[in-house]
Amino acid sequence: MHDNLQNNLSVTSYMEKVRVRFAPSPTGALHIGGVRTALFNYLFARKHKGTMILRIEDTDQERFVPGAEEYIREALEWCGIELDESPWNPSPKYAPYRQSERKAIYKQYAMQLIESGHAYYAFDTEAELEEMRERLKAARVASPQYNAITRTTMKNSLTLPEDEVKKRIESGEPYVIRLKVPRKEEIRFHDMIRGWIMVHSHALDDKVLMKSDGMPTYHLANVVDDHLMEITHVIRGEEWLPSAPVHVLLYRYLGWEKTMPRFAHLPLILKPDGNGKLSKRDGDLGGFPVFPIEWTDPDTGKTVAGYRESGYFPEAVVNFLALLGWNPGTHQEIFSMAELIEAFSLERVGKSGTKFDIEKARWFNQQYLKAKSDEELAQYLLKDLEKNGIQVPFSKVKAVCSLLKERVIYPTEFWKEGKYFFVPPTQYDEKILSKKWNSESVKILTDYLSALSSVATFNAATAKQALENVISQHGIAMGKILQSLRLALTGVGGGPELFPLMEVLGKEECIKRLENALQTLPVA
RNA sequence: GCACCAUUCGUCUAGGGGUUAGGACACAAGAUUUUCAUUCUUGUAACAGGGGUUCGAUUCCCCUAUGGUGUACCA
């Protein structure tokens, strides 16, 4: 309560413009959890009339995946997350937006830290580091790490004579630059979602700031860029919480603590069973997408469908994602992007991890589908018809969607569920056939067939009237015959209301199908 | 192991010292529907455990348990 009040005040009284960034690394497809982080940043930015920035964190050359950057761009666009600044629409004041293009900048600040005594050179090889860890483990040290104590036993500019350090560097020996974390200090910072967090510096290790390839690590790059880009709020996943104290230290040592951005660490999206955070494999296992749009792995060439390809509307995905970890405090469930922006606040973001529930996503999609016009839905069906080489008047496509929209969740189902509107059935549901198709139904339907032929104006009402006339002659109930008729016309036992369906099919087609069924279907 | 974070129906969550602990998804039943679906109604179902504090704790504090994250020259 207290924290909320504080947060509110500080947000609304912010003099400078809110600037937030989404900073993915181009190591593959953007995960649905990443999309949510982007979304929350976006909602916050728009809510406060601020700026939404995309920064590409490509400091790891080894994990770089070609095409990932374009994927991120396309995925965000599909979701309707607009970027005010990005590699594609840079602001000259803050560009470039790819960390690989900012290499020189980081070096400069790393040097500043060395000069102020807050960082140092380290020459230890991988084998030496491994040996150190083994040694400590053997000595039953609680947490083997490169820190205030162990660094005195390693090869670095703190232990080596100054001229040897110089010689090593000049001779081109590989080195890293490490942060000199103080031995005993309490580091506290405020998180807008979790309140005050305090950690002891002895729990931190001397993080590598600059790698031996001259690239910065995330820790340095992120702090330098957030400062230089004048980021006001860092909204990111909870996996960053443990390293946030390192970042606070960096802001301090770089002399930027007064303008340090505020932190908000979002709860993680967990696997449906709650064991660990959601990963790509869970989608494969659970049969639901974890990517916003389809992704083709450049190595294997394998393509995985995303939400888009699986028939989800971007509005539904955004709505669903927004409610994963955030709630409006009201009972409203359906939100447009504009409504989300209006209602969003970090104060109403929860603290605990949320399990991923695809059932809820399906429900959202269904809601959005039902709300769409027949015209819009017809576009989806039209594509499937084209794919199958079927040409029909648009009015019919629309009519089919109209009849089917209450019973599907994805627009991709229109074709699947309504194929018989366009193609006569070649197979008939065995169970219905054996249960309902008998000599009596054949007799009635034969009568109906001839009644239908003489109907002048054919539509749902007259088709129904004709059947009513026939069954009253035979003295049986409507329910007795209807499913046989449906089977004859569509081949299946269920579907939308039969008479409107017949109207869409048309008189000729109904007669043709009825004739065919009467001639070919075996009587039990 | 160590550090940090978390813990309300199966799931997403609201709430908050005294409530019949509310909603949504899912599930079940009933109604409507000639079928299936939709829709409507109803129902099942939760404060992790133990100590405090208090007249009273699900709510505040502590401990335990459980879960998550981190612990890389990955982000």
Side-chain angles (χ1 to χ4, degrees):
Chain A
M1 191 65 196
H2 220 86
D3 282 346
N4 287 351
L5 197 62
Q6 266 188 341
N7 288 332
N8 266 327
L9 285 172
S10 56
V11 167
T12 48
S13 66
Y14 240 85
M15 292 310 283
E16 71 251 72
K17 219 176 156 208
V18 163
R19 289 173 60 80
V20 296
R21 86 300 195 277
F22 175 56
S25 61
T27 52
L30 192 57
H31 182 274
I32 201 73
V35 175
R36 191 195 56 160
T37 303
L39 176 64
F40 280 26
N41 272 281
Y42 176 70
L43 295 176
F44 185 78
R46 285 289 177 272
K47 169 86 182 184
H48 297 284
K49 310 261 182 282
T51 306
M52 172 70 180
I53 297 153
L54 176 79
R55 187 174 66 221
I56 299 292
E57 311 236 324
D58 55 351
T59 54
D60 188 349
Q61 307 150 294
E62 282 178 19
R63 291 208 308 157
F64 177 81
V65 174
E69 200 178 287
E70 259 318 301
Y71 180 92
I72 291 166
R73 181 182 186 173
E74 195 186 337
L76 295 179
E77 200 177 295
W78 181 71
C79 293
I81 298 172
E82 307 155 310
L83 304 169
D84 301 314
E85 294 174 23
S86 72
W88 313 289
N89 51 338
S91 156
K93 190 176 170 191
Y94 302 106
Y97 290 82
R98 283 185 199 91
Q99 291 187 327
S100 59
E101 296 167 17
R102 301 169 65 83
K103 212 168 152 181
I105 301 173
Y106 309 118
K107 177 76 189 238
Q108 177 193 333
Y109 289 105
M111 294 315 293
Q112 184 188 318
L113 287 168
I114 288 202
E115 275 151 32
S116 62
H118 290 301
Y120 59 92
Y121 297 103
F123 302 96
D124 316 278
T125 64
E126 210 165 304
E128 286 167 335
L129 289 171
E130 189 51 38
E131 191 199 332
M132 180 262 280
R133 289 189 196 108
E134 287 305 317
R135 200 174 64 231
L136 291 178
K137 226 183 275 175
R140 301 172 137 268
V141 171
S143 47
Q145 55 183 14
Y146 209 116
N147 60 19
I149 296 163
T150 55
R151 68 177 164 237
T152 60
T153 68
M154 305 300 285
K155 285 193 196 123
N156 53 54
S157 59
L158 267 18
T159 58
L160 265 22
E162 202 174 319
D163 55 335
E164 193 188 332
V165 170
K166 223 175 135 190
K167 215 187 303 168
R168 280 177 185 249
I169 291 173
E170 275 164 9
S171 72
E173 191 178 325
Y175 64 87
V176 300
I177 295 177
R178 283 182 184 271
L179 178 67
K180 194 177 164 192
V181 174
R183 181 167 177 187
K184 246 186 137 175
E185 200 172 298
E186 283 186 353
I187 304 160
R188 45 182 84 227
F189 65 96
H190 187 262
D191 183 279
M192 292 175 75
I193 293 167
R194 284 148 220 287
W196 284 99
I197 289 164
M198 202 265 287
V199 287
H200 297 276
S201 66
H202 63 70
L204 272 26
D205 61 349
D206 286 0
K207 283 264 158 356
V208 169
L209 265 21
M210 292 288 284
K211 303 185 256 191
S212 55
D213 64 359
M215 278 293 201
T217 58
Y218 171 85
H219 306 292
L220 208 223
N222 138 275
V223 166
V224 167
D225 287 344
D226 284 344
H227 172 75
L228 261 23
M229 293 181 174
E230 303 187 89
I231 300 301
T232 57
H233 300 260
V234 169
I235 304 166
R236 80 237 286 195
E238 194 188 347
E239 68 263 35
W240 294 110
L241 202 51
S243 56
V246 173
H247 305 156
V248 171
L249 239 33
L250 279 168
Y251 280 106
R252 185 175 302 162
Y253 297 155
L254 257 4
W256 302 333
E257 201 172 10
K258 285 183 298 298
T259 57
M260 185 172 76
R262 294 173 62 81
F263 293 107
H265 289 95
L266 268 22
L268 261 18
I269 298 180
L270 274 18
K271 299 171 197 250
D273 66 4
N275 287 153
K277 57 177 173 174
L278 191 70
S279 71
K280 182 186 160 182
R281 267 187 63 71
D282 301 310
D284 299 340
L285 263 37
F288 58 84
V290 286
F291 297 145
I293 59 179
E294 73 171 15
W295 167 252
T296 304
D297 190 298
D299 287 337
T300 63
K302 247 184 82 183
T303 298
V304 199
Y307 278 84
R308 184 178 62 187
E309 293 70 32
S310 304
Y312 286 86
F313 301 109
E315 310 94 284
V317 172
V318 161
N319 197 152
F320 165 68
L321 245 28
L323 260 4
L324 230 45
W326 171 84
N327 77 82
T330 66
H331 285 157
Q332 186 177 351
E333 299 270 347
I334 303 294
F335 285 88
S336 66
M337 188 69 98
E339 288 172 316
L340 284 174
I341 290 167
E342 175 61 28
F344 187 77
S345 78
L346 284 175
E347 286 71 38
R348 294 206 67 89
V349 173
K351 299 181 214 272
S352 42
T354 54
K355 282 169 205 138
F356 189 86
D357 181 15
I358 193 63
E359 284 303 327
K360 195 99 181 210
R362 286 165 55 82
W363 179 80
F364 273 111
N365 212 60
Q366 189 180 25
Q367 301 305 306
Y368 278 91
L369 185 139
K370 284 199 300 198
K372 284 188 190 296
S373 70
D374 298 339
E375 280 83 0
E376 196 178 343
L377 294 174
Q379 302 302 329
Y380 290 92
L381 178 52
L382 210 52
K383 265 183 222 146
D384 284 325
L385 290 173
E386 275 167 19
K387 242 183 265 172
N388 288 278
I390 294 167
Q391 268 195 331
V392 289
F394 187 65
S395 58
K396 179 171 179 181
V397 182
K398 238 172 67 180
V400 170
C401 289
S402 174
L403 285 177
L404 251 26
K405 75 194 278 190
E406 292 292 320
R407 47 207 317 116
V408 299
I409 290 174
Y410 312 110
T412 46
E413 286 176 290
F414 284 128
W415 169 244
K416 226 172 67 200
E417 292 290 313
K419 190 177 172 187
Y420 55 73
F421 278 103
F422 310 97
V423 183
T426 52
Q427 284 182 339
Y428 296 83
D429 188 303
E430 289 293 338
K431 256 167 83 183
I432 308 291
L433 192 62
S434 59
K435 238 170 95 181
K436 303 276 181 176
W437 195 264
N438 50 43
S439 55
E440 192 188 21
S441 55
V442 166
K443 222 161 40 191
I444 295 166
L445 289 181
T446 306
D447 284 356
Y448 184 47
L449 177 60
S450 57
L452 226 42
S453 316
S454 55
V455 167
T457 38
F458 180 84
N459 57 37
T462 54
K464 186 181 184 191
Q465 187 58 54
L467 186 60
E468 274 167 352
N469 292 343
V470 171
I471 60 169
S472 72
Q473 284 164 23
H474 286 268
I476 68 151
M478 182 75 96
K480 276 272 192 193
I481 191 65
L482 220 57
Q483 221 174 359
S484 294
L485 177 56
R486 179 186 293 280
L487 185 75
L489 295 173
T490 68
V492 292
E497 275 193 276
L498 193 51
F499 297 110
L501 181 154
M502 286 176 73
E503 184 176 328
V504 173
L505 236 34
K507 181 177 172 180
E508 298 304 311
E509 188 63 24
C510 286
I511 288 172
K512 240 166 64 188
R513 292 187 185 186
L514 207 43
E515 277 173 346
N516 182 259
L518 288 167
Q519 280 166 23
T520 58
L521 292 185
V523 176

